[in-house]
Amino acid sequence: MYEGFFSGRVITNLFADNAALGIAAVVMTLVILSGGIDLSVGSMLGFTTILIAVLVQQKGMHPLSAIAIALGIGTVFGAFMGFLIHRYDLPPFLVTLGGMFLARGMAFVISKESLGIENAFYNHMADFGIPLGGKAALSATALIYLLLFALGIVVTHFTPFGRNIYALGGSEPSARLMGVPIGSTKIAVYALSGFGAALAGAVSTFYTTSGNPTTGGGFELDVIASVVIGGTLLTGGVGTQLGTLAGVLIFGTIHSALDFDGRLNSYWLRIAIGGLLLIFILFQRFLTRTSALTR
Amino acid sequence: MNDPLAKIKPWFQGVSLFWPVLGLGLLLIFNAVFSPSFFHLEIRDGHLYGTLVDILNQGSKVMLLAIGMTLVIATGGVDLSVGSLMAIAGAVAAMLVMKISFAMAVAISLGLATVAGTCNGLLIGYAGIQPIIATLILMVAGRGLAMLLTGGQIITFEHPSFVFLGNGHFLGLPFTVTIVAIVLCFTLVATRKTAIGLFLESVGDNEKAARYCGINAALVKVMVYAYSGLCAGIAGLIATSNIKAADSSRVGEFMELDAIFAVVVGGTPLTGGRFSLVGSVIGALLIQTLTITMYNLGVAPAVSPVPKAIVIVAVCLMQSARFRAQILGWFGKRRIAA
């Protein structure tokens, strides 16, 4: 329909433009597989972007150490939410909702306005690209996404930790009886989710070379939608990282198609995503009709 | 009654209005101490003005959403789409009100919101989709539809009746208070004086058991989501009337979270079962009071999510059996030591 849509450039851009979404989706897949949900990733992303921007611009810190601090805060933040969820048996929905408000508020405490990042390291990162022939080149953000995705596949599908997550999401009581370390698995999953959200924030600072406390509003829903479109069941225990990649790419392709068309507005994106979600979920429902998903 | 804790124990258990009322009371006392003008009320042109009236007026939207949300949560579900439904109802009403009669415009927009809520209910009740996901679809697509309707523009209107809805006064109080009172009374009567309330609680408590008792669980669910849609529609009309314009991209944004928050603070657990409509309304007032307190203290509106987050987590902890046991354990030890 659109000329030049399937050029290498568009494909690599698909990865570069959706790197933040993809990174958050990799870890969200783990959270949802474990039977939980994390609503705080969007706010955490916004918090991270402004934190890094302030540390680099106003405190004169090296970007790498600023990012390391941000990743540390994200991990601790996620681990704390995981602790509350596990120790006090609280609903993940509410705890991470609290986390969402907290992170958003803290972002504004750091700075109320967006802040551009001017730094040699950032310029270097923006120029970085592995040429793939033609006009296509793999940018740093796309590279980080692909690395994390590969790591995600290994962790999810080839480690005991990954199997514990599946067991936990399949049935918590059974997992407990089987001797799966419920507490540490849950806390680790939310800690990873916090880490992923912070990494997504760091990647989006590379992409925009700025920090903005308002970024990431509604981002968590995009992430959850991508994961669900990718076939992961929200009840937990069923899903794959590869599916999530497909979900992210579908999401990104709709974005690009709307950009190519030019006539269509952002509200068509929302309608398309909603419609896709509906189709995929009804389809999933149809496939899993026989298994007793209704509690 | 040898147990010295027997008296305080009930406060920690079940749905009780004690905690939300205590929270609201503490906030009001805090305000009374730190901003003396907080309780100041005056009558101007026969209307009551003051901070307390503002809380009632501005809290009306969350109160309405919370009433519908309480019933949804009582069945063990959750409705994320209310913010988008507000946008749809507001957009439709703003577009129609200049063309057809006011009553028709209101009826059509509320009807649409109810139909959209019914769709949620059908997906959840009959297709068996998880409530979070089913309503997430409408939350994402609904706002897109509302923006499509208005062409992404902010639609303004001049219509005395419609403006009155969100800005008028009735019996000296803002008209919105009357609307909330009517909806609350109707819902209370419908759930407490008929068997509907019992049906909701049994579906939320144990759906299977309810079904075996002959309760049409799917139909009950369709009804609560439709009702939640209707409440969202009314809230959307008020929000649109407040600013005399339909701003589809902003109206009701994040309000679903406030509504869920109000319900949970009000003592209705997210797991379903018992519910308290009055508790939810008090929870909504608590949020609004919290917000206005922040403004009074000069805290930037952007930072206001922080105290909200703290209250959410505190309330969650209060509802957690393990946390209560831990706290009671501390109290018990102290008693024994003394």
Side-chain angles (χ1 to χ4, degrees):
Chain A
M1 210 153 100
Y2 306 114
E3 211 173 308
F5 195 92
F6 286 102
S7 60
R9 185 85 185 246
V10 173
I11 306 290
T12 49
N13 276 357
L14 205 54
F15 281 91
D17 295 347
N18 297 296
L21 178 73
I23 290 168
V26 167
V27 282
M28 183 67 85
T29 309
L30 294 182
V31 176
I32 293 180
L33 278 178
S34 80
I37 196 141
D38 190 349
L39 297 178
S40 71
V41 290
S43 304
M44 197 61 219
L45 177 131
F47 172 79
T48 312
T49 61
I50 191 66
L51 178 72
I52 292 176
V54 165
L55 287 180
V56 171
Q57 278 313 106
Q58 292 176 356
K59 308 281 178 217
M61 214 177 257
H62 189 271
L64 280 181
S65 42
I67 290 170
I69 290 176
L71 290 180
I73 292 178
T75 312
V76 171
F77 184 77
F80 181 66
M81 289 194 300
F83 168 76
L84 287 180
I85 292 167
H86 167 66
R87 179 72 180 79
Y88 298 115
D89 207 15
L90 299 178
F93 185 83
L94 275 183
V95 174
T96 56
L97 179 65
M100 169 182 170
F101 283 130
L102 188 68
R104 184 63 73 200
M106 292 314 287
F108 283 107
V109 170
I110 293 178
S111 166
K112 288 191 190 59
E113 277 145 28
S114 64
L115 187 66
I117 304 175
E118 285 159 25
N119 187 289
F121 177 76
Y122 265 83
N123 295 337
H124 192 71
M125 286 300 276
D127 293 337
F128 179 83
I130 299 173
L132 293 175
K135 281 181 185 166
L138 210 52
S139 69
T141 53
L143 199 62
I144 295 174
Y145 172 35
L146 288 177
L147 281 178
L148 192 87
F149 173 68
L151 203 65
I153 283 201
V154 171
V155 169
T156 316
H157 301 301
F158 299 101
T159 63
F161 175 62
R163 281 191 288 279
N164 287 347
I165 293 175
Y166 275 97
L168 182 60
S171 165
E172 192 171 328
S174 320
R176 186 177 290 120
L177 291 176
M178 283 192 297
V180 170
I182 304 273
S184 58
T185 308
K186 259 193 194 173
I187 293 173
V189 162
Y190 286 96
L192 276 177
S193 179
F195 174 85
L199 186 63
V203 161
S204 76
T205 61
F206 288 141
Y207 191 66
T208 61
T209 58
S210 67
N212 187 338
T214 61
T215 43
F219 178 73
E220 58 281 339
L221 298 175
D222 293 351
V223 175
I224 295 170
S226 308
V227 173
V228 171
I229 290 174
T232 302
L233 290 190
L234 267 149
T235 35
V238 180
T240 58
Q241 288 288 358
L242 212 57
T244 298
L245 175 72
V248 170
L249 292 183
I250 289 174
F251 204 97
T253 311
I254 297 175
H255 240 299
S256 307
L258 289 174
D259 286 347
F260 262 75
D261 193 280
R263 284 170 303 161
L264 301 172
N265 277 309
S266 69
Y267 36 83
W268 278 107
L269 176 72
R270 291 169 159 278
I271 296 173
I273 295 295
L276 259 186
L277 262 176
L278 180 64
I279 293 166
F280 275 80
I281 286 164
L282 282 177
F283 190 61
Q284 270 187 15
R285 188 64 208 161
F286 175 70
L287 286 181
T288 56
R289 194 84 218 185
T290 44
S291 67
L293 278 176
T294 43
R295 274 182 294 149
Chain B
M1 292 300 273
N2 287 330
D3 186 0
L5 300 175
K7 268 187 187 164
I8 40 171
K9 256 185 185 161
W11 295 351
F12 289 91
Q13 287 159 356
V15 176
S16 131
L17 288 182
F18 175 76
W19 288 107
V21 170
L22 180 78
L24 189 59
L26 282 178
L27 258 181
L28 290 178
I29 292 170
F30 178 85
N31 274 302
V33 173
F34 287 93
S35 52
S37 66
F38 192 81
F39 285 97
H40 181 74
L41 290 174
E42 68 177 324
I43 295 177
R44 225 181 283 156
D45 305 334
H47 305 325
L48 211 53
Y49 283 95
T51 315
L52 290 178
V53 179
D54 283 349
I55 292 176
L56 279 176
N57 189 14
Q58 289 171 19
S60 59
K61 284 159 276 178
V62 178
M63 283 195 269
L64 284 170
L65 293 183
I67 290 171
M69 188 72 78
T70 309
L71 303 187
V72 168
I73 290 182
T75 64
V78 72
D79 189 351
L80 295 178
S81 68
V82 289
S84 295
L85 290 184
M86 282 177 70
I88 292 183
V92 171
M95 283 166 60
L96 292 180
V97 79
M98 301 300 276
K99 295 181 190 124
I100 56 176
S101 76
F102 175 62
M104 275 303 283
V106 168
I108 291 176
S109 52
L110 291 185
L112 264 177
T114 313
V115 168
T118 309
C119 292
N120 278 336
L122 289 174
L123 282 178
I124 295 159
Y126 289 99
I129 295 172
Q130 285 167 300
I132 292 186
I133 291 306
T135 54
L136 179 74
I137 295 171
L138 196 56
M139 177 190 185
V140 175
R143 195 167 290 280
L145 281 174
M147 284 156 79
L148 187 68
L149 283 173
T150 60
Q153 308 285 316
I154 294 176
I155 293 189
T156 56
F157 55 86
E158 292 284 339
H159 193 286
S161 311
F162 197 4
V163 172
F164 178 83
L165 195 69
N167 302 297
H169 284 79
F170 183 69
L171 298 176
L173 285 168
F175 186 58
T176 50
V177 176
T178 315
I179 299 176
V180 173
I182 292 172
V183 173
L184 179 64
C185 288
F186 173 76
T187 319
L188 274 176
V189 169
T191 54
R192 294 304 181 204
K193 295 290 168 197
T194 71
I196 296 175
L198 194 65
F199 290 173
L200 294 184
E201 291 189 353
S202 47
V203 168
D205 238 4
N206 189 335
E207 195 184 327
K208 232 177 224 169
R211 222 168 29 230
Y212 290 149
C213 289
I215 294 173
N216 189 342
L219 186 66
V220 167
K221 286 186 178 175
V222 173
M223 278 166 55
V224 294
Y225 286 94
Y227 193 67
S228 174
L230 176 66
C231 289
I234 300 173
L237 292 187
I238 292 178
T240 306
S241 163
N242 273 341
I243 57 170
K244 302 190 185 81
D247 179 1
S248 325
S249 60
R250 281 267 166 263
V251 67
E253 214 180 14
F254 299 122
M255 224 166 230
E256 58 281 341
L257 300 178
D258 278 351
I260 296 169
F261 176 47
V263 173
V264 175
V265 169
T268 304
L270 265 186
T271 42
R274 282 194 190 183
F275 64 97
S276 164
L277 285 164
V278 178
S280 302
V281 169
I282 294 174
L285 287 175
L286 193 132
I287 297 184
Q288 197 58 44
T289 312
L290 196 67
T291 314
I292 289 198
T293 308
M294 291 295 123
Y295 292 156
N296 280 352
L297 291 178
V299 178
V303 182
S304 62
V306 175
K308 231 186 236 179
I310 294 169
V311 174
I312 291 183
V313 174
V315 167
C316 283
L317 285 175
M318 281 300 167
Q319 288 188 353
S320 151
R322 269 179 99 170
F323 186 76
R324 289 197 300 247
Q326 202 170 350
I327 295 285
L328 283 176
W330 290 342
F331 269 110
K333 266 178 215 155
R334 225 176 276 166
R335 288 284 173 90
I336 292 160

